[in-house]
Amino acid sequence: MAGVRALGSLSRLTTRRYNLTMFPGVTRRTFRVAACMMARTHVNYEIKGDVAVIRMNDPSARVNTLSVQMQREMTEVMDEVWGNSAVQSVVLISSKPGSFIAGADLNMIQACTTAEEVTLLSQEGQKMFEKIEKSPKPIVAAINGSCLGGGFEFAIACQYRIATKSKKTVLGCPEVMLGLLPGAGGTQRLPKMLGLPSAFDVVLTGRSIRPDKAKKMGLVHQLVDTLGPGLKSPEERTIEYLEEVAVEAARGLAKKQIPLTKEKGLMQKIQDYVMSYPFVRQQIYNTVQKKVMKQTKGLYPAPLKIIECVKAGLEQGPTAGYLAESQNFGKLAMTPESKALIGLYHGQVTCKKNRFGTPEKEVKALAVLGAGLMGAGIAQVSVDKGIHTILKDTTLEGLSRGEQQVYKGLNDKTKKKSITTFERDSFLSNLTGQLDYNGFNKADMVIEAVFEDLSIKHKVLKEVEAVIPPHCIFATNTSALPIKDIAAVSKRPEKVIGMHYFSPVDKMQLLEIITTDKTSKDTTASAVAVGLKQGKVIIVVGDGPGFYTTRCLAPMLAEAVRVLQEGVDPKKLDSLTTGFGFPVGAATLADEVGIDVAAHVAEDLGKAFGSRFGGGNIEFLKSMVDKGFKGRKSGKGCYIYQPGLKRRDVNTEALEILESYKLTPNAAISSDSDIQYRLVSRFVNEAVLCLQEGILANPVEGDIGAVFGLGFPPCLGGPFRFVDSFGADKLVEKMRKFEEVFGNQFTPCQLLLDHAKDPSKKFHK
Amino acid sequence: MSLSLIRTVLLTAFSFCSAARSLSTSVHLQAQGNVSGVMLTCEKWKMPIPFSQYNSKSKKTLAKPGVKNIVLVDGVRTPFLQSGTTYADLMPHDLARAALQGLLNRTGLPKDAVDYIVYGTVIQEVKTSNVAREAALGAGFSDKTPAHTVTMACISSNQAMTTAVGLIAAGQCDAVVAGGVEFMSDVPIRHSRKMRKTMLSLNKAKTLGARLSLLGSIRLAHLSPELPAVAEFSTAETMGHSADRLAAAFGVSRLEQDEFALRSHTLAKKAQDGGMLSDVISFKVPGRDIVSKDNGIRPATMEQLAKLKPAFIKPHGTVTAANSSFLTDGASAVLIMSEEKALAMGYKPKAYLRDFVYVSQDPKDQLLLGPTYATPKVLEKSGLTLNDIDVFEFHEAFAGQIMANLKAMESDWFAQTYMGRKTKVGAPPMEKFNTWGGSLSLGHPFAATGCRLVTTVAHRLQKEGGQYGLVAACAAGGQGHAMVIEAYPQ
């Protein structure tokens, strides 16, 4: 469905990059009690000559985190090492393959009830890292795997850093994506290490930095290659090798053979000189502040607080800086934005698991029908995961365009150096483009992405079922047609399932899987497994017109059309929606989705749900389509799109069409805020109704689907979290006001009313 | 061996040259009677056992019913010289010509008795892309003798020889000359792709205006040349870098590598001085002196070796210019015949060429492990065990690569985890291993090394009285080769 391009920083938040322990606090606490009585379990050390090698390994988790236990043991070990006169230098390393320290223990922060408690946590971290920074014995951080958040702050407090070139090695401070800030000295040390502009870039974007880039930036001093097969497993030996190299470096540092301070380059000197003027720094603060405000519309407090902390440190000295950092960290942890983002993070982790178990047969051979935008996109995200994929189209031109799309998608990755040209070629070797059904007899799954028309889908299904083997799953990629209607002509409806991808497939993280009451559990498990392999965040929903995502979006778009008919300019409509936190404005969204698709879906869902889906006049959409204004793909929609031009002008011809459908706005409910709530409340009400009707399995999937598929404001955490934090009663109150004017389109659903009546009822605990 | 070794010298030219200079000083010192002192420094490496000890052995022959016996009649090579030295002004086919002519002289073979010529090369001179044919014509072979060129990185001449074996076994030929040449003193350096495109369009441009506009499109950046591939194409990793990682993966220390390199140079020096390297022919280089000796052998001291900085992985790598094979110019050639034909022509063959295998594995992490994979496979094919082999000749791309292979062959875990075998094959005993030096010291002209290995095995079997020899080599692309050679009854 939706062509939501930019989802804000959150869309880049993936489990692989940002692992925080997900263990409920309870189990952790009981474990901790037991651990106190035992010897150290998380941190131990070995003295190799004059070098102490400190190894971290959290036995209860897949990744290391700076938990209370880890911090306590680390303090103990550090004291012992500092007190040992035989030790001249220290190496800090993780025994876990793939994780140095993935961050602070999120549960530790979530367990706090006041800002002061969180501030205290931050101050403890600051103190610990200050001691590390001032260590009389040089400490080498030997980094393999994720070095993020608190782990990253730990590493940059050390005197020297060596990282492996492993694909799993990433550095960065993603706290901002969780609505927080690096609260253990990150905002203070980074500006000094990297200079102001780079430091802001790292801290404000929260992006992951790969080892080679980190070396260039000066974040790490030395890189170590990953090793292949030897006398031990590659992972094990790589860690050993890293340790060997780090121990040598530590010795060199202790003997002053390796200098701690690097000679500054000319550019660096110039930059430092320029930065020494308060006026210049002030300009940078202002520029960054403006940029942040432009991108976040002021809806995200974390970036602003980060700027504040950096500023305090540089302008008023370290004491003020560290104080600002810890206090702001405390404040941010209590904001609804942070809670929403952390909720999304947890939800995303949940939606990266297959709750239907392991399928009986792994899908190794896939066939995609239709080489259009969607079909080619699905093929692209499959071939680069090693799935043999047939891409079938009916015309040579269509096939050629589709194959070119796959090639371009992969080739763009080589340009960004995320894959090599050789990898591109070997991925492409998994792709077979063809016009016939040759080889379908060996397919484990067929995903059809043909035109959204029931009779075409029926024809395709029958053709496919004639050639595929009995175990093969038939998945249909549709944004609105009920799966059971498509499955009606199937000889084996238990093998039919809906897989609703979002465009562009290689960028959008969400996959909505739709099961009918006949779909077997194994079919579902298999579809989820394929989706996960393709790197998707998955929600599994029940069947019905529009399923979940399209069904929520349709009433909002209907309302958007009405708003346009009431004479609101498309640009104004866009700024109202983005101002609420949507990454893409409603008018732009309609253009991205395609006006024809919107008209089609609106008509279908209108038939299915009746007047509740009314609002804007569908005839307006149809007139647009008649004129050829189908949105971005046709060059004209609400806006005019010119290739190569970033600037978009409002399509005046569309405004002329609007004239003939003009409505008179009701002044009582047409303020900017009212318009925003008219749009959002219809979205949210429909989402809650989906939960009430059982289309949705739980509110978590509802939130994830809305944010990752439709661009619901991440700072609000999704429609369900929004209801929780905004208050169901307040939302109902607003809806009742709109209901008076527009009728049942704004009638709150029963579940929402229940929540409004009983404030203790929450979707998220 | 490697295309990427180019980098060893291209990139470390300065440090390498200075190292070479200091090392060569020591060669002179040792040549004046200090050799025993050097040998003390590497006593860890067992020296060859006198060949008389092998004489008592008598094993079955590997002849198979219904399979033709194919023999190595003789093999020669030009002296292997560090690139950029005496051969610098030649062309590849000149070197190949010298080897072919040397073979004719050595064997007294009538030129028209050769049915076919197969020659290997790695870095192709674009003017002589079928270098086999150009060299054969230039060497005075009959113009009725067809010739083709093969390429398979460092095992190119192995491929040439096994192609010859195939032609004879299939009954298509009776006498085939195989060989290989590598000329690193001059390598093709191309214009950039954009420049080439412009130049090609220029050929087609008809009007002056079109030509001028094409000329006008040339930018300064287009003029920067394209050096020959210095890296594995599939992984973009240079071979030295991969060798360093391989050494680290198997925990091979810098010391072990330097010791092995020193062993290679020491043994090569001894073999050279002892007149063992009888496959080397003298070659009068036009405009220069007669060359009759390899010039890369330079035994140094461990201290001198220890001083060198890592060449590829800095600062903590272990592969240096001194424990890697160096860029070399050279050519080799062998005469391969069916046994009957050889006997009919009155030759006394030197050895039987028996079973051979080619293997390939992951070009990233197992680039240089060819010998580990090929050895057990070829032994199995021949029904032999490692203990049956009297003479081992492995290609020494890097000391670290040899040591890694030895460790891999000695590891049950590696055999089980990566090779799908129940047990390890075992590492060759050092007293039978490369006892006349190897690629590290003699030099490694990529496509000429294979024939040197086979000829050396034949010669060692004759000298030492053993019956079976084993050749194994790794090659770029993650490929490998091994061949079992049986001594011809004396």
Side-chain angles (χ1 to χ4, degrees):
Chain A
M1 159 116 256
V4 182
R5 285 272 162 88
L7 250 191
S9 56
L10 200 99
S11 63
R12 276 182 287 129
L13 200 151
T14 70
T15 36
R16 188 181 63 77
R17 286 185 184 160
Y18 196 55
N19 289 311
L20 292 165
T21 42
M22 287 304 117
F23 285 82
V26 185
T27 49
R28 181 161 285 270
R29 218 162 287 138
T30 47
F31 176 77
R32 214 177 293 147
V33 175
C36 293
M37 292 182 281
M38 291 189 294
R40 282 192 289 263
T41 51
H42 287 50
V43 184
N44 60 54
Y45 71 104
E46 180 191 346
I47 309 241
K48 286 189 162 179
D50 53 359
V51 183
V53 178
I54 301 178
R55 300 194 181 91
M56 300 171 290
N57 190 2
D58 182 343
S60 60
R62 208 167 46 80
V63 294
N64 289 325
T65 51
L66 285 176
S67 58
V68 174
Q69 175 85 358
M70 180 75 86
Q71 291 185 36
R72 213 201 35 240
E73 290 187 17
M74 183 58 75
T75 312
E76 275 174 33
V77 165
M78 284 314 303
D79 286 341
E80 280 176 38
V81 166
W82 278 319
N84 186 337
S85 59
V87 173
Q88 298 303 317
S89 54
V90 183
V91 167
L92 181 70
I93 194 167
S94 157
S95 311
K96 273 192 199 305
S99 162
F100 177 72
I101 301 173
D105 183 353
L106 212 50
N107 296 304
M108 196 167 77
I109 297 165
Q110 285 187 297
C112 298
T113 49
T114 65
E116 288 69 34
E117 278 179 72
V118 183
T119 299
L120 210 62
L121 278 181
S122 160
Q123 283 167 347
E124 278 168 22
Q126 289 178 347
K127 263 182 234 155
M128 178 167 148
F129 295 159
E130 192 192 352
K131 278 176 83 178
I132 298 284
E133 186 176 36
K134 295 195 171 141
S135 167
K137 302 173 181 179
I139 305 175
V140 176
I143 302 160
N144 179 47
S146 49
C147 174
L148 299 170
F152 179 66
E153 291 174 279
F154 196 167
I156 58 170
C158 295
Q159 281 71 34
Y160 201 79
R161 284 162 295 283
I162 302 179
T164 65
K165 291 185 196 166
S166 161
K167 282 201 169 164
K168 286 182 179 166
T169 302
V170 282
L171 296 90
C173 25
E175 287 90 343
V176 68
M177 296 188 200
L178 297 178
L180 300 169
L181 56 76
T187 65
Q188 305 302 306
R189 281 192 189 92
L190 281 170
K192 285 187 186 141
M193 281 178 74
L194 304 176
L196 207 44
S198 304
F200 270 135
D201 178 42
V202 169
V203 186
L204 289 176
T205 61
R207 66 193 169 89
S208 297
I209 305 161
R210 282 199 275 254
D212 45 350
K213 175 81 182 164
K215 173 92 189 332
K216 267 190 208 139
M217 292 172 78
L219 273 176
V220 302
H221 300 84
Q222 200 172 327
L223 293 180
V224 167
D225 289 279
T226 52
L227 300 181
L231 299 177
K232 287 175 181 168
S233 79
E235 295 77 28
E236 202 184 334
R237 179 60 196 143
T238 299
I239 293 179
E240 245 182 45
Y241 179 51
L242 170 66
E243 186 180 307
E244 287 165 17
V245 173
V247 166
E248 275 313 302
R251 284 213 178 99
L253 286 168
K255 289 182 190 152
K256 309 236 181 304
Q257 286 161 345
I258 301 174
L260 271 176
T261 45
K262 212 178 137 192
E263 185 78 12
K264 281 184 176 169
L266 181 66
M267 281 310 290
Q268 187 65 42
K269 280 183 188 158
I270 293 173
Q271 197 185 336
D272 288 355
Y273 176 73
V274 173
M275 288 296 163
S276 65
Y277 289 98
F279 165 75
V280 175
R281 293 199 300 271
Q282 197 55 48
Q283 284 304 311
I284 292 180
Y285 300 139
N286 290 345
T287 315
V288 173
Q289 178 105 9
K290 261 186 220 148
K291 215 170 167 186
V292 165
M293 284 307 289
K294 196 179 164 212
Q295 283 181 359
T296 66
K297 319 272 176 202
L299 296 167
Y300 295 81
L304 301 173
K305 293 284 184 203
I306 288 172
I307 298 172
E308 213 173 275
C309 295
V310 171
K311 202 169 159 182
L314 286 183
E315 307 304 326
Q316 298 162 41
T319 319
Y322 279 100
L323 187 66
E325 184 184 89
S326 64
Q327 285 180 344
N328 281 330
F329 187 69
K331 280 182 204 158
L332 284 175
M334 293 299 130
T335 56
E337 288 83 3
S338 171
K339 289 187 170 149
L341 292 170
I342 290 176
L344 281 175
Y345 170 69
H346 284 302
Q348 196 190 22
V349 172
T350 315
C351 293
K352 286 255 182 194
K353 288 184 185 136
N354 193 343
R355 62 180 159 103
F356 297 89
T358 314
E360 279 165 34
K361 196 169 187 308
E362 192 193 341
V363 172
K364 288 185 179 152
L366 179 73
V368 180
L369 289 177
L373 218 53
M374 293 304 271
I378 296 167
Q380 188 196 322
V381 298
S382 306
V383 291
D384 66 356
K385 312 299 182 311
I387 305 174
H388 291 278
T389 307
I390 293 174
L391 184 61
K392 182 199 173 302
D393 204 279
T394 48
T395 66
L396 208 55
E397 294 74 37
L399 184 63
S400 170
R401 196 218 61 84
E403 288 196 72
Q404 177 59 29
Q405 185 189 329
V406 179
Y407 175 82
K408 185 171 180 297
L410 294 174
N411 196 44
D412 287 351
K413 285 191 180 182
T414 68
K415 284 184 190 152
K416 286 184 202 147
K417 301 227 163 107
S418 64
I419 61 170
T420 66
T421 53
F422 183 77
E423 280 167 321
R424 174 200 67 201
D425 296 348
S426 89
F427 292 153
L428 280 171
S429 72
N430 287 326
L431 183 74
T432 316
Q434 60 190 47
L435 298 173
D436 55 18
Y437 283 107
N438 199 4
F440 274 57
N441 57 343
K442 293 197 185 89
D444 301 311
M445 178 183 275
V446 175
I447 302 175
E448 68 78 15
V450 301
F451 191 68
E452 293 260 24
D453 179 290
L454 197 58
S455 60
I456 296 177
K457 300 248 181 206
H458 279 168
K459 179 174 160 273
V460 161
L461 191 149
K462 281 187 217 157
E463 277 176 15
V464 168
E465 281 194 350
V467 289
I468 54 176
H471 75 273
C472 182
I473 291 164
F474 183 89
T476 171
N477 174 66
T478 168
S479 53
L481 294 175
I483 307 302
K484 64 174 186 302
D485 294 354
I486 296 173
V489 298
S490 170
K491 284 181 277 182
R492 39 211 267 303
E494 73 281 0
K495 293 280 183 197
V496 179
I497 195 164
M499 289 173 88
H500 177 199
Y501 289 87
F502 293 73
S503 183
V505 180
D506 58 327
K507 301 273 184 335
M508 296 293 290
Q509 285 196 69
L510 191 73
L511 168 62
E512 183 180 31
I513 289 179
I514 306 104
T515 60
T516 69
D517 42 11
K518 285 185 183 150
T519 308
S520 75
K521 188 173 165 255
D522 186 60
T523 300
T524 313
S526 202
V528 175
V530 168
L532 288 177
K533 203 166 185 185
Q534 291 168 334
K536 298 293 168 198
V537 173
I538 295 169
I539 62 170
V540 180
V541 303
D543 195 17
F547 327 123
Y548 169 63
T549 49
T550 310
R551 188 170 153 184
C552 290
L553 190 62
M556 184 172 110
L557 283 185
E559 195 61 29
V561 171
R562 172 152 61 201
V563 171
L564 288 176
Q565 284 177 265
E566 285 176 358
V568 175
D569 184 79
K571 280 202 168 158
K572 170 79 175 166
L573 174 61
D574 272 357
S575 78
L576 285 177
T577 20
T578 53
F580 199 76
F582 283 90
V584 175
T588 309
L589 184 61
D591 276 0
E592 293 283 345
V593 170
I595 305 289
D596 53 336
V597 176
H600 199 69
V601 169
E603 194 163 22
D604 280 0
L605 294 188
K607 274 180 205 156
F609 294 107
S611 56
R612 193 173 83 238
F613 273 53
N617 194 338
I618 293 182
E619 292 308 316
F620 159 65
L621 294 175
K622 285 184 177 166
S623 312
M624 291 275 283
V625 175
D626 289 343
K627 281 258 183 180
F629 304 152
K630 294 181 184 173
R632 176 187 278 273
K633 59 189 169 190
S634 66
K636 278 182 183 176
C638 298
Y639 295 97
I640 297 172
Y641 299 88
Q642 283 160 308
L645 263 186
K646 268 205 158 173
R647 191 177 56 91
R648 294 173 317 183
D649 292 323
V650 173
N651 183 3
T652 45
E653 290 172 274
L655 294 184
E656 280 164 25
I657 301 174
L658 267 177
E659 269 312 304
S660 53
Y661 293 99
K662 190 139 185 116
L663 296 174
T664 319
N666 182 328
I669 46 160
S670 296
S671 71
D672 285 358
S673 158
D674 278 334
I675 290 175
Q676 286 176 328
Y677 281 104
R678 274 163 57 188
L679 292 164
V680 172
S681 64
R682 290 189 68 179
F683 186 121
V684 171
N685 186 47
E686 204 59 35
V688 176
L689 190 57
C690 283
L691 183 65
Q692 181 185 317
E693 289 179 1
I695 296 278
L696 274 176
N698 53 55
V700 173
E701 293 196 356
D703 281 346
I704 292 295
V707 173
F708 288 91
L710 306 172
F712 193 88
C715 56
L716 301 177
F720 294 95
R721 197 169 290 277
F722 169 69
V723 172
D724 282 354
S725 58
F726 186 75
D729 47 348
K730 276 169 76 188
L731 185 65
V732 166
E733 191 186 314
K734 281 198 184 291
M735 289 184 74
R736 292 290 188 209
K737 197 170 85 180
F738 304 143
E739 189 186 14
E740 276 176 31
V741 181
F742 297 120
N744 73 337
Q745 290 147 13
F746 286 93
T747 309
C749 70
Q750 190 53 46
L751 187 57
L752 194 57
L753 289 173
D754 293 348
H755 276 244
K757 244 178 259 162
D758 181 359
S760 71
K761 274 197 176 175
K762 295 278 178 199
F763 291 111
H764 294 282
K765 290 285 168 300
Chain B
M1 200 4 317
S2 81
L3 306 187
S4 63
L5 264 187
I6 295 164
R7 198 184 177 221
T8 320
V9 162
L10 285 184
L11 295 189
T12 62
F14 285 104
S15 66
F16 188 82
C17 289
S18 59
R21 220 171 293 128
S22 66
L23 289 174
S24 63
T25 326
S26 70
V27 174
H28 295 306
L29 285 178
Q30 281 141 7
Q32 287 155 18
N34 200 16
V35 180
S36 62
V38 177
M39 293 173 91
L40 279 179
T41 60
C42 58
E43 61 188 0
K44 185 175 171 192
W45 300 101
K46 292 178 192 154
M47 291 295 131
I49 294 170
F51 61 81
S52 56
Q53 284 185 11
Y54 289 123
N55 284 349
S56 56
K57 283 191 191 166
S58 166
K59 296 171 196 164
K60 63 175 168 92
T61 170
L62 294 176
K64 288 178 191 166
V67 177
K68 263 190 196 174
N69 279 328
I70 294 165
V71 296
L72 172 79
V73 175
D74 212 336
V76 299
R77 63 178 175 94
T78 67
F80 286 176
L81 302 191
Q82 297 179 50
S83 59
T85 58
T86 316
Y87 295 150
D89 298 329
L90 299 176
M91 279 182 71
H93 73 284
D94 292 326
L95 270 179
R97 223 154 34 91
L100 290 171
Q101 266 173 334
L103 185 70
L104 292 178
N105 294 343
R106 179 74 58 94
T107 56
L109 180 73
K111 284 175 180 170
D112 55 1
V114 178
D115 298 325
Y116 203 92
I117 295 169
V118 194
Y119 226 69
T121 197
V122 178
I123 306 281
Q124 288 199 357
E125 161 62 49
V126 283
K127 287 181 187 162
T128 58
S129 61
N130 187 3
V131 69
R133 179 65 175 161
E134 314 309 338
L137 286 174
F141 279 87
S142 158
D143 59 7
K144 299 281 184 291
T145 305
H148 84 265
T149 302
V150 294
T151 190
M152 200 172 179
C154 310
I155 50 178
S156 293
S157 60
N158 303 82
Q159 183 55 257
M161 287 182 289
T162 56
T163 303
V165 168
L167 285 169
I168 297 169
Q172 302 306 305
C173 298
D174 284 317
V176 180
V177 168
V181 60
E182 207 61 50
F183 188 69
M184 298 304 294
S185 291
D186 180 33
V187 291
I189 296 173
R190 299 203 291 183
H191 272 295
S192 68
R193 181 86 189 235
K194 283 202 172 113
M195 190 66 188
R196 300 200 308 265
K197 202 172 168 187
T198 310
M199 291 161 103
L200 288 172
S201 312
L202 212 51
N203 272 343
K204 290 179 195 151
K206 294 230 161 56
T207 65
L208 183 67
R211 281 190 204 128
L212 283 176
S213 92
L214 275 169
L215 286 173
S217 73
I218 297 172
R219 297 283 169 272
L220 200 61
H222 298 181
L223 295 174
S224 67
E226 230 173 58
L227 292 172
V230 295
E232 193 74 7
F233 181 74
S234 60
T235 61
E237 186 182 22
T238 63
M239 189 173 278
H241 196 279
S242 191
D244 205 322
R245 286 196 306 116
L246 185 74
F250 283 92
V252 180
S253 67
R254 167 75 184 266
L255 185 70
E256 281 175 285
Q257 295 180 43
D258 285 353
E259 279 175 347
F260 186 85
L262 184 54
R263 172 192 191 266
S264 182
H265 280 281
T266 311
L267 292 178
K269 178 83 187 136
K270 204 174 151 215
Q272 193 179 51
D273 293 347
M276 301 295 189
L277 307 179
S278 61
D279 55 340
V280 179
I281 52 159
S282 292
F283 173 25
K284 167 70 178 84
V285 181
R288 307 256 196 149
D289 293 336
I290 291 179
V291 184
S292 51
K293 271 170 117 181
D294 303 327
N295 73 356
I297 308 172
R298 37 177 211 281
T301 63
M302 285 301 287
E303 291 70 39
Q304 285 168 315
L305 295 182
K307 272 185 206 153
L308 285 182
K309 289 213 169 106
F312 301 97
I313 296 184
K314 292 159 190 169
H316 54 271
T318 53
V319 172
T320 67
N323 62 34
S324 313
S325 52
F326 49 89
L327 292 186
T328 315
D329 300 337
S332 58
V334 294
L335 174 59
I336 298 172
M337 284 184 172
S338 64
E339 189 179 15
E340 312 94 84
K341 174 82 174 181
L343 295 177
M345 287 183 75
Y347 285 116
K348 170 87 178 159
K350 291 196 163 168
Y352 291 111
L353 302 183
R354 298 298 191 190
D355 293 298
F356 61 84
V357 294
Y358 288 93
V359 293
S360 58
Q361 54 287 324
D362 170 21
K364 173 144 185 73
D365 288 333
Q366 306 196 30
L367 181 68
L368 304 170
L369 284 179
T372 302
Y373 282 86
T375 300
K377 223 171 152 183
V378 79
L379 287 176
E380 229 157 57
K381 230 175 169 186
S382 290
L384 299 177
T385 68
L386 205 73
N387 291 332
D388 296 320
I389 304 293
D390 304 305
V391 163
F392 291 89
E393 280 294 328
F394 278 34
H395 160 51
E396 302 167 348
F398 301 87
Q401 163 260 335
I402 285 287
M403 296 310 299
N405 271 285
L406 296 183
K407 291 191 183 209
M409 292 165 85
E410 201 46 74
S411 163
D412 277 327
W413 185 83
F414 187 84
Q416 286 154 4
T417 317
Y418 292 101
M419 296 169 68
R421 310 186 70 88
K422 286 203 181 80
T423 53
K424 63 186 182 184
V425 61
M430 292 314 292
E431 65 270 18
K432 296 179 183 176
F433 188 86
N434 293 9
T435 53
W436 291 357
S439 301
L440 284 174
S441 46
L442 300 171
H444 174 39
F446 307 146
T449 291
C451 290
R452 175 185 70 74
L453 293 173
V454 168
T455 309
T456 306
V457 166
H459 287 169
R460 277 181 60 198
L461 284 172
Q462 283 189 332
K463 274 264 191 270
E464 298 169 1
Q467 192 174 359
Y468 302 127
L470 179 76
V471 161
C474 56
Q479 312 210 76
H481 166 74
M483 182 188 253
V484 170
I485 293 153
E486 184 182 344
Y488 199 83
Q490 302 281 316

